[in-house]
Amino acid sequence: MRTPVGLGTADSEPGPEVRSSAEPSSRRPRPRRAPLLGHRGRRALLPWVLLAPALTVIGLLLLLPLARIVWLSFREYQLRNLVSGESDFVGLANYAALLTDPYLWRVALLNTVVFAVVAVVTTIVVGTLVALLLATLRPVPRIIVVSCIMVAWAMPAVSGTYVWIWIFDVDSGVVSQALASLGLLEPSGHNWFADRLFFYAIVTLNVVHGGFPFVAVTVLAGLLTVPAELHEAARIDGAGAWKRFWHVTFPVLRPVFAVVTVLSTIWDFKVFAQIYLMPGGDVGGSEMLNLGVWSYVRSFGHNDYGLGSAIAVLLTLLLLVITVFYLRALFREDELR
């Protein structure tokens, strides 16, 4: 007679069911809890966890001051408010006063936009030409030249500005003495900083001198990645140097030029030290101020922090609009291709 499965006899060992029931309850495996995030969720969350420290620092150093400036732009905040710590909410009054001020449209905004356009174009052209020159050099001369031009990029804006002030000094400037020795300038000299055009010409030289090394090194890095076969094929087809650059090199380096253009635009729109330290660049109401310097002079020279903050907000919005418009136009052109 067969023994039923799982019952066993007195001498036989208990079946699996009997053994499991005889074991202590503490040894039973506990059921696992389902993870809060699946594998895909953890992988999607990992980049944000790694970026959290950097985003926190950016938020503390950039977003909080920006929020403070926006808050000040809606309030009447002058010297008496700075002492008392209290301010009055005035709504859009600062923005209304700013947009109806003829100085904004006649001087500050015009100086900012025209100077930025000229400086950005000149910086990118000079930097690209230097990069093309560097690409033709051997490694050792290239390293020497790059090291020399990076000195100009590493020079602080304050030091570089005072060098250009010395070069164009009215009495002992190199330019004035050279022109006077050639008979092109009177011995009494000429104040280059009193004329609006010459003033911004000197500022443009200063900014381009300090900015073209970054463009040159960045474009050079892109040039070294362009396949030589493309240039060789274009040369066989009879394309000249300009056509090879415009139809072969430029399309490959389009993202590089997008980066240097956006960064140069941001830097040149908010130029401060190169204008403020020039003779006449720190005087409120003069024809030499751009939006950045005007915001500073209005805030700390006239103790009108509300209007100065409104000018700073206007400059920030202008930069955002220009950057977004340029990037959208660039990406749209890439999609059409």
Side-chain angles (χ1 to χ4, degrees), residues 67-333:
R68 176 68 174 177
I69 290 175
V70 174
W71 180 82
L72 284 174
S73 66
F74 292 104
R75 311 189 75 85
E76 183 183 0
Y77 206 91
Q78 298 182 0
L79 184 60
R80 56 181 178 83
N81 305 106
L82 185 64
V83 175
S84 64
E86 300 177 354
S87 59
D88 300 324
F89 178 77
V90 295
L92 299 176
N94 289 323
Y95 291 97
L98 172 62
L99 297 177
T100 55
D101 191 345
Y103 188 83
L104 170 67
W105 308 103
R106 184 177 56 86
V107 177
L109 186 61
L110 188 63
N111 289 345
T112 303
V113 175
V114 174
F115 162 73
V117 171
V118 174
V120 169
V121 173
T122 308
T123 302
I124 293 177
V125 170
V126 173
T128 303
L129 293 176
V130 173
L132 292 173
L133 173 63
L134 292 173
T136 61
L137 299 179
R138 296 183 178 274
V140 175
R142 182 188 302 164
I143 293 175
I144 296 175
V145 176
V146 169
S147 301
C148 293
I149 65 175
M150 290 304 291
V151 173
W153 185 72
M155 180 180 294
V158 175
S159 303
T161 302
Y162 280 118
V163 170
W164 287 98
I165 292 175
W166 170 74
I167 292 175
F168 287 92
D169 186 74
V170 179
D171 300 322
S172 58
V174 177
V175 174
S176 298
Q177 291 183 355
L179 293 178
S181 62
L182 295 175
L184 300 177
L185 191 66
E186 297 181 358
S188 58
H190 177 73
N191 188 0
W192 305 97
F193 305 101
D195 184 83
R196 188 179 181 183
L197 180 60
F198 283 116
F199 180 92
Y200 272 96
I202 298 172
V203 175
T204 302
L205 290 175
N206 187 3
V207 171
V208 172
H209 175 259
F212 87 89
F214 170 77
V215 177
V217 173
T218 306
V219 175
L220 174 64
L223 287 174
L224 297 179
T225 62
V226 178
E229 294 81 4
L230 298 179
H231 288 282
E232 189 66 26
R235 189 179 292 107
I236 293 175
D237 291 339
W242 170 251
K243 288 186 176 180
R244 291 199 305 271
F245 173 80
W246 188 251
H247 296 286
V248 177
T249 305
F250 184 77
V252 177
L253 300 185
R254 187 181 298 273
V256 176
F257 282 106
V259 171
V260 297
T261 301
V262 171
L263 291 179
S264 299
T265 301
I266 294 174
W267 293 337
D268 293 345
F269 260 88
K270 63 183 186 65
V271 163
F272 178 81
Q274 293 89 335
I275 295 177
Y276 181 78
L277 296 177
M278 289 283 188
D282 59 345
V283 180
S286 70
E287 294 187 351
M288 312 304 177
L289 307 187
N290 64 350
L291 286 175
V293 180
W294 187 33
S295 173
Y296 180 87
V297 171
R298 194 71 194 182
S299 299
F300 298 97
H302 299 271
N303 297 319
D304 193 352
Y305 301 96
L307 184 58
S309 300
I311 299 173
V313 172
L314 177 63
L315 176 60
T316 304
L317 293 177
L318 184 62
L319 283 174
L320 289 176
V321 170
I322 293 175
T323 303
V324 171
F325 176 79
Y326 180 79
L327 291 179
R328 287 190 62 184
L330 181 68
F331 293 149
R332 185 177 302 172
E333 184 177 351

